[in-house]
């Protein structure tokens, strides 16, 4: 895709130039002594202003409405160092599980250390899930086990939720047997960190994509993006 971007810029420049020429022709301002762009520079200014405004609006919308996954995964390092929360022995392997939120996992670099692992639990998604690279110099060339080229679900990629120490989940109002509201299961999970995330389904179509001060707040709805800890973790695991 990257080679296409310069061509998009070139096409935009050619289009604007043609618009200027068309405007001068329609307004009958063609003058052999004066270039047509001198009469239509306002078109360039208007387009640049519109493009800049939409770009800034889109950027603010992404920061305000959709940055929760970045904040959540960055918080894992703080949790790993907080002995009031993370009571497992430092030598113990930790499973951070995701269900329907698997595709918003940013990078393994956000996991505190090599003993923290991303695991998948069952959700309504029925395709092939990504797997970590193998260790070693040729790790990116080695095909992980239990993969296929048909995007078919692979049962070996999942773990039992009983093996999860932490769970990352978006707390939507709707639920299903495979995607329950884990935050409501207080006998099994407790919320230790939450950030606001924009709920697309209940927000205005335009305002969920572009931020307008004072207006977006009235027409956009937010839900919690949570880090949950299993209640099975006991203080006796702390060493």
């Amino acid at each position: 895709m990257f080679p296409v971007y310069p061509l998009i810029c070139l096409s935009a420049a050619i289009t604007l130039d043609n618009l200027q020429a068309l405007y001068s022709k329609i307004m009958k301002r063609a003058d052999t002594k004066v270039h047509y762009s001198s009469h239509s520079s306002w078109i360039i200014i208007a387009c640049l202003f519109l493009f800049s405004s939409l770009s800034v609006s889109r950027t603010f919308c992404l920061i305000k409405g959709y940055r929760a996954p970045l904040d959540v995964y960055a918080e894992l390092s703080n949790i790993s160092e907080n002995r009031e929360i993370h009571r497992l022995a430092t030598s113990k392997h930790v499973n951070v599980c995701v269900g329907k939120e698997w595709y918003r996992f940013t990078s393994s670099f956000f996991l505190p250390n090599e003993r923290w692992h991303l695991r998948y639990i069952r959700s309504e998604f029925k395709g092939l899930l990504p797997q970590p690279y193998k260790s070693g110099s040729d790790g990116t060339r080695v095909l992980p086990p239990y993969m296929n080229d048909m995007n078919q679900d692979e049962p070996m990629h999942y773990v039992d939720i009983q093996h999860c120490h932490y769970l990352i989940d978006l707390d939507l109002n709707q639920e299903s047997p495979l995607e329950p509201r884990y935050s409501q299961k207080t006998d099994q999970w407790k919320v230790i960190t939450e950030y606001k995330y924009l709920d697309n389904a209940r927000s205005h179509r335009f305002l969920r994509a572009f931020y307008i001060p004072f207006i977006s707040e009235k027409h956009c709805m937010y839900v919690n993006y949570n880090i949950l800890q299993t209640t099975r973790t006991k203080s006796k695991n702390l060493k």
Side-chain angles (χ1 to χ4, degrees):
M1 288 298 294
F2 287 104
V4 175
Y5 297 144
L7 297 179
I8 294 176
C9 294
L10 177 62
S11 299
I14 294 174
T15 300
L16 288 176
D17 183 72
N18 288 334
L19 283 176
Q20 287 182 284
L22 180 62
Y23 171 79
S24 297
K25 184 176 181 180
I26 293 175
M27 300 304 293
K28 297 181 180 180
R29 292 186 175 181
D31 190 338
T32 56
K33 296 181 180 180
V34 180
H35 194 269
Y36 61 82
S37 61
S38 62
H39 300 298
S40 54
S41 59
W42 66 270
I43 296 178
I44 303 296
I45 296 174
C47 290
L48 288 176
F49 177 79
L50 177 62
F51 176 79
S52 300
S53 299
L54 290 175
S55 297
V56 171
S57 176
R58 177 62 175 168
T59 301
F60 271 96
C61 181
L62 292 175
I63 294 174
K64 185 174 178 62
Y66 300 99
R67 66 171 293 172
L70 290 174
D71 293 330
V72 161
Y73 284 106
E75 186 66 23
L76 290 177
S77 293
N78 296 330
I79 291 174
S80 68
E81 297 174 357
N82 189 334
R83 306 311 292 173
E84 294 297 322
I85 298 176
H86 186 65
R87 294 178 172 273
L88 297 175
T90 55
S91 59
K92 188 176 181 63
H93 287 262
V94 180
N95 292 328
V96 179
C97 294
V98 291
K100 64 177 182 289
E101 290 301 299
W102 67 268
Y103 62 96
R104 291 196 179 104
F105 175 65
T106 52
S107 169
S108 296
F109 290 110
F110 280 83
L111 298 176
N113 54 58
E114 67 278 359
R115 290 183 296 277
W116 287 61
H117 310 281
L118 182 76
R119 305 298 187 193
Y120 301 118
I121 59 174
R122 283 287 183 182
S123 69
E124 298 296 342
F125 178 75
K126 301 304 179 183
L128 185 66
L129 292 166
Q131 294 297 295
Y133 292 120
K134 294 292 184 180
S135 59
S137 58
D138 62 343
T140 57
R141 299 176 58 187
V142 177
L143 182 66
Y146 307 110
M147 302 294 285
N148 63 75
D149 58 358
M150 303 296 292
N151 195 29
Q152 295 178 347
D153 190 21
E154 176 50 63
M156 295 300 295
H157 289 172
Y158 300 100
V159 300
D160 192 301
I161 196 171
Q162 300 297 321
H163 298 153
C164 299
H165 300 97
Y166 296 95
L167 175 64
I168 294 178
D169 188 57
L170 182 63
D171 191 17
L172 298 173
N173 291 328
Q174 66 269 19
E175 59 182 330
S176 69
L178 290 178
E179 296 179 358
R181 297 187 64 183
Y182 294 102
S183 63
Q184 304 299 312
K185 296 187 174 185
T186 54
D187 59 325
Q188 303 176 34
W189 300 95
K190 62 178 179 179
V191 178
I192 55 176
T193 301
E194 60 184 20
Y195 291 92
K196 294 298 181 182
Y197 190 85
L198 194 146
D199 187 354
N200 286 334
R202 298 189 297 148
S203 299
H204 189 277
R205 283 189 174 184
F206 179 81
L207 296 176
R208 71 189 183 191
F210 297 94
Y211 177 76
I212 301 178
F214 308 112
I215 299 179
S216 293
E217 285 80 358
K218 296 180 180 179
H219 299 278
C220 291
M221 305 296 292
Y222 292 84
V223 292
N224 290 328
Y225 206 95
N226 299 328
I227 301 180
L228 303 102
Q229 184 182 43
T230 177
T231 56
R232 298 186 305 277
T233 302
K234 306 297 183 181
S235 59
K236 65 181 181 181
N237 291 323
L238 179 61
K239 294 183 179 179

